[in-house]
Amino acid sequence: MTAEIWDVVIVGAGLSGLSAAHLLRKRNAKLRILILEGKGRVGGRTVTSEIPAANGVDCWDFGGQWVGSTQTHILELIEELGLEVYPQFSTGKRVHHMGGPTSKVRTYRTSIPALSPAVLLDFTQLLWKIDRLCATVCVQDPSRTPNAVQLDSMTLQTYVEQHAWTSDLKEEVELSCRAVFGMEPSQMSFLFFLMYAAAAGGLLPLLESTPGSAQELKIKGGTQQLSERLADGVGWKNVRLGSAVTAIWQDAEWARVTTATDTFLCRAVIVTCPPHLAAKIHYEPALTSQREYLTQNMPVGHMIKFIITYQTAFWREKGFCGEIVAGSSTGCPFCVTFDATSPNGNAALVGFISGQQATYWTSKEDWAKEDYSGGCPVNVMAPGLLTYYHPSLRRPCGRIHWAGTETATQWCGYMSGAVQSGQRAALEILAEVCHEALAKEELQALQSIQTVDAKQTTSSKLLHPSTGKSVVIATLMISAVILLARRQGALLNIKSHLTNAFSNISQR
């Protein structure tokens, strides 16, 4: 059977693959682009479905759903495609329940949970240390981060055990890790955690729904519209669903992409599926050992998302915002919930069962069981991978280019990261097949990615703080505890004062 000939074949019809195709088509309409997708739909890790609601039926996102005002790549795409966003509802009291079924249920109104004074102080000092370390991370090449080998040799749990003082804060970190990664802190490299946070602008933006944070905005009508509208632009005749790629062969002239029923010749390939799925494709000649080892050792998170609809948003009526943060227990499988009331006014809550909790609920339908997903929300790296194998995550292998949110340098793991990575892969191909379609700045940006001119070369002072700074920090902590013992209302002021003090110390 004669193989079809294309300029570019893209593996995966999620946001990354379709964003790559969109940019290629915009820059050179003559390029023949084919997108192969194993699933029976476009969207990848985004999917919007209709379910019964108070006013009949309405649509909700069962995959990725949030965007933020600092996620420039996805926001520009949303505007270009004529879609609208609306804010995550966050007005009212939040519920905080840690420590098991018999523990006290607390409420709070700020972005920080109702922690005891000692735990809040512990949180402040740990956040200060982590944000200081994030500022030293070279996201494009984490191996150039000061003390990279040491940071990559430990897990997030190891670091927290060494630097957190209270068991309550350690439990909070475990819950946060499940909510963000779908994994336990013992399963990922601490350097990977720092890189992931640095790509989002810090730790708190990953956790909050405040302006600039990951859970700030949602898309009216659902996120899958993004992929559907991109497919409209590329042309559905160029998108083949139910066409899982099984092998990619390449030589000096062509790449040959095969599915169970077809073979396609092309000048370049972009593989956008998650690393653990890309590892299942057969490559000939074999990929570099660094690339193969990397993709075979990037486990994916385990997260089950559920949506419950109601006749009314009773929590709003009672002064709550719908956000619940709950510790792991047999009686409470979820770790966090949010208000999910639709723009049409249909009341709902969305929640997540993640990490260890999800292992007890795998009999329910979830992403780990959907073909060509295998888990969510993101692949992570175990200790030792970043410092030795990370460059292979984005580096092209002959005619094969790599994309997907895991390869992003801004908001890695999120929809915005998927868009950024697809655009970067498209620019790589344009630089090879029609470099005149690229602006000078874009060519320079590609060169900088390849050379990774990292300027952070001084050793980190956080792992070995000077005695003077340690004394000042300890004095501030003791003074704060004394003040809090006398006046509970000073809690939030202390947090602000400590943060400012730490910032001033770090500038000396």
Side-chain angles (χ1 to χ4, degrees), residues 409-431:
T409 56
Q410 297 177 35
W411 284 101
C412 168
Y414 290 81
M415 291 185 289
S416 192
V419 174
Q420 183 212 17
S421 70
Q423 293 174 348
R424 185 256 312 149
L427 292 176
E428 290 174 357
I429 289 178
L430 289 171

Side-chain angles (χ1 to χ4, degrees), residues 2 14 72 78 121 129 144 158 192 194 234 259 267 292 300-301 306 317 323 327 408-409 430 445:
T2 303
T72 55
I78 290 170
L121 293 173
K129 289 180 179 179
R144 294 175 179 260
T158 300
F192 174 83
L194 292 174
V234 174
T259 67
R267 299 164 67 185
E292 287 194 343
V300 66
F306 62 88
E317 299 168 1
E323 184 173 330
T409 56
L430 289 171

Side-chain angles (χ1 to χ4, degrees), residues 465-507:
S466 64
T467 302
K469 291 182 181 178
S470 299
V471 171
V472 173
I473 293 171
T475 302
L476 285 169
M477 295 296 181
I478 295 171
S479 300
V481 171
I482 294 173
L483 177 59
L484 286 170
R486 297 176 179 174
R487 184 184 177 190
Q488 291 292 322
L491 197 60
L492 293 179
N493 288 335
I494 287 295
K495 174 181 179 292
S496 177
H497 293 329
L498 283 175
T499 302
N500 292 335
F502 289 149
S503 298
N504 293 334
I505 291 171
S506 66
Q507 294 172 1

Side-chain angles (χ1 to χ4, degrees), residues 11-77:
V11 181
L15 276 173
S16 183
L18 287 164
S19 294
H22 180 63
L23 183 57
L24 287 169
R25 181 58 58 87
K26 284 175 61 177
R27 297 299 180 87
N28 189 339
K30 295 181 180 180
L31 287 175
R32 299 194 64 213
I33 303 166
L34 176 66
I35 305 170
L36 301 175
E37 170 58 53
K39 299 177 183 179
R41 60 173 180 81
V42 299
R45 284 173 273 189
T46 64
V47 59
T48 306
S49 301
E50 286 188 344
I51 60 174
N55 298 323
V57 295
D58 210 335
C59 62
W60 277 272
D61 286 317
F62 284 84
Q65 69 177 45
W66 284 293
V67 298
S69 56
T70 61
Q71 297 177 354
T72 55
H73 293 89
I74 191 73
L75 288 183
E76 290 173 358
L77 181 62

Side-chain angles (χ1 to χ4, degrees), residues 269-390:
V269 182
I270 303 178
V271 177
T272 72
C273 51
H276 67 289
L277 297 182
K280 296 181 179 181
I281 298 173
H282 174 75
Y283 301 91
E284 187 67 37
L287 302 178
T288 63
S289 58
Q290 292 88 348
R291 171 73 196 185
E292 287 194 343
Y293 186 85
L294 182 69
T295 55
Q296 291 171 3
N297 291 276
M298 288 184 65
V300 66
H302 193 177
M303 182 178 289
I304 302 172
K305 182 177 184 179
F306 62 88
I307 293 174
I308 305 174
T309 60
Y310 298 88
Q311 289 299 311
T312 62
F314 61 87
W315 52 94
R316 294 189 183 187
E317 299 168 1
K318 296 179 180 295
F320 291 87
C321 71
E323 184 173 330
I324 303 173
V325 176
S328 175
S329 69
T330 56
C332 182
F334 66 84
C335 60
V336 65
T337 69
F338 294 89
D339 183 295
T341 301
S342 74
N344 297 323
N346 286 305
L349 291 174
V350 59
F352 300 90
I353 305 171
S354 304
Q356 286 184 348
Q357 294 166 309
T359 62
Y360 300 109
W361 287 74
T362 51
S363 61
K364 307 297 182 182
E365 182 177 351
D366 66 77
W367 285 96
K369 294 187 176 183
E370 185 186 40
D371 289 341
Y372 312 111
S373 285
C376 74
V378 68
N379 294 79
V380 306
M381 294 191 186
L385 287 180
L386 272 176
T387 44
Y388 297 104
Y389 301 101
H390 180 267

